[in-house]
Amino acid sequence: MTLEYKKECGRDNVLKSLTHVLNGGEGGGFVDFDCIECEHSLQFMDGANIVKARTKWKLKFAHSFRNL
């Protein structure tokens, strides 16, 4: 996980959390479930970023889905 802090927020700020799937595997689609990469952001309601993060998810049993 990679975090990039942009701003701080206060107790009364209203925030939104967004996640964008960058790819669904090495083939770029959801056919290959070995690895899914996501970009996450926490924003103020006006769209200004507070923090951005990128995660990479690997299925524990990815080899089980290849035979489906």
Side-chain angles (χ1 to χ4, degrees):
M1 178 185 300
T2 304
L3 295 174
E4 184 179 331
Y5 292 96
K6 302 285 189 175
K7 295 183 179 193
E8 291 187 18
C9 61
R11 188 170 93 177
D12 295 328
N13 290 119
V14 179
L15 309 175
K16 60 183 173 180
S17 174
L18 304 168
T19 298
H20 176 72
V21 177
L22 300 175
N23 67 345
E26 292 181 21
F30 286 104
V31 176
D32 182 3
F33 285 102
D34 286 347
C35 178
I36 297 174
E37 202 168 341
C38 298
E39 186 175 82
H40 311 274
S41 63
L42 187 60
Q43 301 177 345
F44 291 108
M45 290 305 287
D46 68 0
N49 283 321
I50 298 168
V51 65
K52 290 178 103 177
R54 186 174 282 217
T55 57
K56 190 179 243 185
W57 299 85
K58 294 182 181 181
L59 286 180
K60 189 174 184 177
F61 301 106
H63 64 278
S64 301
F65 293 105
R66 288 190 181 149
N67 298 324
L68 295 177

